[in-house]
Amino acid sequence: MDITRIREDFPILGQKVYGKPLVYLDNAATTQKPLCVIDAVSNAYRNVNANVHRGVHFLSQQATERMEAARETVRRFIGAGSTEEVIFTRGTTESINLVASSFAKAFLKSGDEVLVSEMEHHSNIVPWQLLAERVGFKLLAIPVTADGLLDMEAFRNMFTERTKLVSVAHVSNVLGTVNPVREIVQTAHGHGVPVLIDGAQSVPHLPVNVRELDADFYAFSGHKVYGPTGIGVLYGKRELLEKMPPYQGGGEMIAHVSFEGTTFNELPFKFEAGTPDYIGAVALAEALDYLSAIGMEAVDRRERQLCSYALDAMGAIPDIRIIGNASDRCGVVSFLLGDIHPSDVGILLDKLGIAVRTGHHCAEPLMRRFGIPGTVRASLAIYNTEAEIDALVAGIDRIRKMF
Ligand code: C6P
């Protein structure tokens, strides 16, 4: 894989920060965008901008065709069976809120149980808590081991006749752990329980096939997969989506409206109230095509290689503590340096031109599990290099010596 060539596709990477070459290692928060994605946004506004699914005129039809072609690109990328099962949302957060709200109305009652895990992002905890308060179901957390793995034995023992849904991350945004989602789905289905997978940190790094996983719902964000902000995806199995009520009301999601009663549009439009981010959808498809041209197997191989390089190099720094020790991991290395506060490390690395994230990473229960206030997190993308990891390691070592 020609990383130098790939880097040329990302104009922002050429810039300097405080006079130093930018080393962007905050990709789990958001990835940078290749020129083809930036151009797709600009071209759409220049040439094909009109509201979709509403106009008989030329531009509206063109815009609609492009948006529906983008839906087909997403379908192919995640291996869904039909575009009816691909819903455009604002991102992972909205996708999970959609399922929580609509699934709860259709299927959950007081006394039921929903399983998440201790390593979830707040986006996969708080929507359930809000609903749990209203509906009266219980939210239970699968424990995480000291190595940063899901405790699968505990998970298997958590099922009762009250368990109605499992919702877990495919890849942890803090630990980089790749969870055994196929096994999780098989176990849950053995109890007749559907599974939502939060794919925010997996879709950018691994080949994902929702049908092979047999996932019932799968959520991801466009901006973490080299696409634009404001667009994301919820995949859902048709038989579940059909039974679920709309999430929001408005234009587009209806068939007919009267004051006597309203009927709803067919899938996927039933869940897409209001003007969608049709330009975001087209640009997301461009990002997915960009990744497909490289090949997700190749992306996965390359990033795992870079991640091992980072783990070896960073692991050799005295006083460093890497949080999470999964053998199947990707994308992320979280650490603490002696007793230096993570945000001090982040601020000093920034002065060297190195962008990392510090803090609890929207995963406070996981921080509590490890008894730490937060971590410093370096997160990788396809354009990162060994030289950038060397710069990070040199930076960390410099900070260590300063303290
Ligand atoms: N994690 C991070 O720096 P949104 O904000 O909707 O695009 O994604 C939310 C989300 C959900 N699940 C996981 C596993 C995630 O990592 C994220 C976003 C970013 O780790 C921003 S907090």
Coordinates of all heavy atoms in Angstrom, one line a residue, residues 343-387:
S343 N -4.5 15.3 30.3 CA -4.6 16.6 29.5 C -3.3 17.3 29.5 O -3.0 18.0 28.4 CB -5.8 17.4 30.1 OG -5.5 17.8 31.4
D344 N -2.4 17.2 30.5 CA -1.1 17.8 30.4 C -0.3 17.2 29.2 O 0.4 17.9 28.5 CB -0.3 17.7 31.7 CG -0.9 18.6 32.8 OD1 -1.6 19.5 32.4 OD2 -0.7 18.2 34.0
V345 N -0.4 15.9 29.1 CA 0.3 15.2 28.1 C -0.2 15.6 26.7 O 0.5 15.9 25.8 CB 0.2 13.6 28.2 CG1 0.9 12.9 27.1 CG2 0.7 13.1 29.5
G346 N -1.6 15.7 26.6 CA -2.2 16.1 25.4 C -1.8 17.5 24.9 O -1.5 17.8 23.8
I347 N -1.8 18.5 25.9 CA -1.4 19.9 25.6 C 0.0 19.9 25.1 O 0.4 20.6 24.2 CB -1.7 20.7 26.8 CG1 -3.2 20.9 27.1 CG2 -1.0 22.1 26.7 CD1 -3.6 21.4 28.4
L348 N 0.9 19.2 25.8 CA 2.3 19.2 25.4 C 2.6 18.6 24.1 O 3.4 19.1 23.2 CB 3.2 18.6 26.5 CG 3.3 19.4 27.8 CD1 3.9 18.7 29.0 CD2 4.0 20.7 27.6
L349 N 1.9 17.5 23.8 CA 2.0 16.8 22.5 C 1.5 17.8 21.4 O 2.1 17.9 20.3 CB 1.2 15.5 22.4 CG 1.8 14.3 23.2 CD1 0.9 13.1 23.2 CD2 3.2 13.9 22.5
D350 N 0.4 18.5 21.7 CA -0.1 19.5 20.7 C 1.0 20.5 20.3 O 1.1 20.8 19.1 CB -1.3 20.2 21.3 CG -1.9 21.2 20.4 OD1 -2.1 20.9 19.2 OD2 -2.0 22.4 20.8
K351 N 1.7 20.9 21.3 CA 2.8 21.9 21.0 C 3.8 21.3 20.1 O 4.6 22.1 19.4 CB 3.5 22.4 22.3 CG 2.5 23.2 23.2 CD 2.2 24.5 22.7 CE 1.2 25.3 23.5 NZ -0.2 24.9 23.3
L352 N 3.9 20.0 20.0 CA 4.9 19.4 19.1 C 4.2 19.1 17.7 O 4.7 18.4 16.9 CB 5.4 18.1 19.7 CG 6.1 18.3 21.0 CD1 6.4 16.9 21.7 CD2 7.4 19.1 20.8
G353 N 2.9 19.5 17.6 CA 2.2 19.3 16.3 C 1.4 18.0 16.3 O 0.9 17.6 15.2
I354 N 1.4 17.3 17.5 CA 0.8 16.0 17.5 C -0.6 16.0 18.1 O -0.8 16.4 19.3 CB 1.7 15.0 18.3 CG1 3.1 14.9 17.7 CG2 1.0 13.6 18.4 CD1 4.1 14.2 18.5
A355 N -1.6 15.7 17.3 CA -3.0 15.8 17.8 C -3.5 14.4 18.3 O -3.5 13.4 17.6 CB -3.9 16.2 16.6
V356 N -3.7 14.4 19.6 CA -4.3 13.2 20.3 C -5.5 13.6 21.1 O -5.7 14.8 21.2 CB -3.3 12.5 21.2 CG1 -2.1 11.9 20.5 CG2 -2.8 13.4 22.3
R357 N -6.3 12.7 21.5 CA -7.4 13.1 22.4 C -7.1 12.7 23.8 O -6.5 11.6 24.0 CB -8.7 12.4 21.9 CG -9.9 12.9 22.7 CD -11.3 12.4 22.2 NE -12.3 12.8 23.2 CZ -13.5 12.4 23.2 NH1 -14.0 11.6 22.2 NH2 -14.3 12.7 24.2
T358 N -7.6 13.5 24.8 CA -7.4 13.1 26.2 C -8.7 13.2 26.9 O -9.6 13.9 26.4 CB -6.4 14.1 26.9 OG1 -7.0 15.4 26.8 CG2 -5.0 14.1 26.2
G359 N -8.8 12.5 28.0 CA -10.0 12.6 28.8 C -10.7 11.3 28.9 O -10.1 10.2 28.8
H360 N -12.1 11.3 29.1 CA -12.8 10.1 29.4 C -13.3 9.5 28.1 O -13.9 8.4 28.1 CB -13.9 10.2 30.4 CG -14.9 11.3 30.1 ND1 -15.6 11.4 29.0 CD2 -15.2 12.4 30.8 CE1 -16.4 12.4 29.0 NE2 -16.2 13.1 30.1
H361 N -13.2 10.2 27.0 CA -13.6 9.7 25.6 C -15.1 9.3 25.6 O -15.4 8.4 24.9 CB -12.7 8.5 25.2 CG -11.2 8.8 25.4 ND1 -10.6 9.8 24.7 CD2 -10.3 8.3 26.2 CE1 -9.3 9.8 25.1 NE2 -9.1 8.9 26.0
C362 N -15.9 10.0 26.3 CA -17.3 9.7 26.4 C -17.6 8.3 26.8 O -18.5 7.6 26.3 CB -18.0 10.0 25.1 SG -17.8 11.7 24.5
A363 N -16.7 7.8 27.7 CA -16.9 6.4 28.2 C -16.6 6.4 29.7 O -15.7 5.7 30.2 CB -16.0 5.5 27.5
E364 N -17.3 7.2 30.5 CA -17.0 7.4 31.9 C -17.2 6.1 32.7 O -16.3 5.8 33.6 CB -17.9 8.5 32.5 CG -17.5 9.9 32.1 CD -18.1 11.0 33.0 OE1 -18.1 10.8 34.2 OE2 -18.6 11.9 32.4
P365 N -18.2 5.2 32.4 CA -18.2 4.0 33.1 C -17.0 3.1 33.0 O -16.5 2.4 33.9 CB -19.5 3.3 32.6 CG -20.3 4.4 32.1 CD -19.4 5.4 31.6
L366 N -16.4 3.2 31.8 CA -15.1 2.4 31.5 C -14.0 3.0 32.3 O -13.2 2.2 32.9 CB -14.8 2.4 30.0 CG -13.6 1.5 29.6 CD1 -13.9 0.0 29.9 CD2 -13.3 1.7 28.1
M367 N -13.9 4.3 32.4 CA -12.9 4.9 33.3 C -13.0 4.5 34.7 O -12.0 4.2 35.4 CB -13.0 6.5 33.2 CG -12.8 7.0 31.8 SD -11.2 6.7 31.1 CE -11.7 5.9 29.6
R368 N -14.3 4.5 35.2 CA -14.6 4.0 36.5 C -14.1 2.6 36.7 O -13.5 2.2 37.7 CB -16.0 4.2 36.9 CG -16.3 4.5 38.3 CD -17.7 5.1 38.5 NE -17.8 6.4 37.9 CZ -18.7 6.7 37.0 NH1 -19.7 5.9 36.7 NH2 -18.7 7.9 36.5
R369 N -14.4 1.8 35.7 CA -14.0 0.3 35.8 C -12.5 0.2 36.0 O -12.0 -0.7 36.7 CB -14.4 -0.4 34.4 CG -13.7 -1.7 34.1 CD -14.0 -2.8 35.1 NE -13.2 -4.0 34.8 CZ -12.0 -4.2 35.3 NH1 -11.4 -3.3 36.1 NH2 -11.4 -5.4 35.1
F370 N -11.7 1.1 35.3 CA -10.2 1.0 35.4 C -9.7 1.9 36.6 O -8.5 1.9 36.8 CB -9.6 1.3 34.1 CG -9.6 0.2 33.1 CD1 -10.6 0.1 32.2 CD2 -8.7 -0.9 33.2 CE1 -10.6 -1.0 31.3 CE2 -8.7 -1.9 32.3 CZ -9.7 -2.0 31.4
G371 N -10.6 2.6 37.2 CA -10.2 3.5 38.3 C -9.2 4.6 37.9 O -8.3 5.0 38.6
I372 N -9.5 5.1 36.7 CA -8.6 6.2 36.1 C -9.5 7.4 35.7 O -10.7 7.3 35.4 CB -7.8 5.7 34.9 CG1 -8.7 5.1 33.8 CG2 -6.8 4.7 35.3 CD1 -8.0 4.6 32.6
P373 N -8.9 8.6 35.7 CA -9.7 9.8 35.4 C -9.9 9.9 33.9 O -10.8 10.6 33.4 CB -8.8 11.0 35.9 CG -7.4 10.4 35.9 CD -7.5 9.0 36.1
G374 N -9.0 9.3 33.1 CA -9.1 9.5 31.7 C -7.8 8.9 31.1 O -7.0 8.3 31.9
T375 N -7.6 9.0 29.8 CA -6.4 8.5 29.2 C -6.0 9.5 28.1 O -6.7 10.4 27.8 CB -6.6 7.1 28.5 OG1 -7.3 7.3 27.2 CG2 -7.3 6.1 29.3
V376 N -4.7 9.2 27.6 CA -4.3 9.9 26.3 C -4.6 8.8 25.3 O -4.3 7.7 25.5 CB -2.8 10.3 26.4 CG1 -2.5 11.1 25.1 CG2 -2.5 11.0 27.7
R377 N -5.2 9.3 24.2 CA -5.5 8.3 23.2 C -5.0 8.7 21.8 O -5.3 9.8 21.3 CB -7.0 8.1 23.0 CG -7.5 7.1 22.1 CD -9.0 7.1 21.8 NE -9.4 8.3 21.1 CZ -10.6 8.6 20.8 NH1 -11.6 7.8 21.2 NH2 -10.9 9.7 20.1
A378 N -4.1 7.8 21.2 CA -3.7 8.0 19.8 C -4.5 7.0 19.0 O -4.6 5.9 19.3 CB -2.2 7.6 19.7
S379 N -5.2 7.6 18.0 CA -6.0 6.7 17.2 C -5.7 6.9 15.7 O -5.4 8.0 15.2 CB -7.5 7.1 17.4 OG -7.8 8.4 17.2
L380 N -5.7 5.8 15.0 CA -5.0 5.6 13.7 C -6.0 5.7 12.5 O -7.1 5.3 12.7 CB -4.2 4.3 13.6 CG -3.3 4.0 14.8 CD1 -2.7 2.7 14.7 CD2 -2.2 5.1 14.9
A381 N -5.4 6.0 11.4 CA -6.2 6.0 10.1 C -5.3 5.5 9.0 O -4.0 5.3 9.3 CB -6.8 7.3 9.8
I382 N -5.8 5.3 7.9 CA -5.1 4.7 6.8 C -3.9 5.5 6.3 O -3.0 5.0 5.8 CB -6.1 4.4 5.6 CG1 -5.5 3.5 4.5 CG2 -6.7 5.7 5.0 CD1 -5.1 2.2 5.0
Y383 N -4.0 6.8 6.6 CA -2.9 7.7 6.1 C -1.7 7.9 7.1 O -0.8 8.6 6.9 CB -3.4 9.1 5.7 CG -4.5 9.6 6.7 CD1 -4.2 10.0 8.0 CD2 -5.8 9.8 6.2 CE1 -5.2 10.5 8.8 CE2 -6.8 10.3 7.0 CZ -6.5 10.6 8.3 OH -7.5 11.1 9.1
N384 N -1.9 7.3 8.3 CA -0.8 7.4 9.3 C 0.4 6.5 9.0 O 0.3 5.5 8.3 CB -1.3 7.1 10.7 CG -2.3 8.2 11.2 OD1 -3.4 7.9 11.7 ND2 -1.8 9.4 11.2
T385 N 1.6 7.0 9.5 CA 2.8 6.3 9.1 C 3.6 5.9 10.3 O 3.4 6.5 11.4 CB 3.7 7.3 8.3 OG1 4.1 8.4 9.1 CG2 3.0 7.8 7.0
E386 N 4.6 5.0 10.1 CA 5.5 4.7 11.2 C 6.3 5.9 11.7 O 6.5 6.0 12.9 CB 6.5 3.6 10.7 CG 5.9 2.2 10.7 CD 5.0 1.9 9.5 OE1 4.7 2.8 8.7 OE2 4.4 0.7 9.5
A387 N 6.6 6.8 10.8 CA 7.4 8.0 11.1 C 6.5 8.8 12.1 O 7.1 9.5 13.0 CB 7.7 8.8 9.9

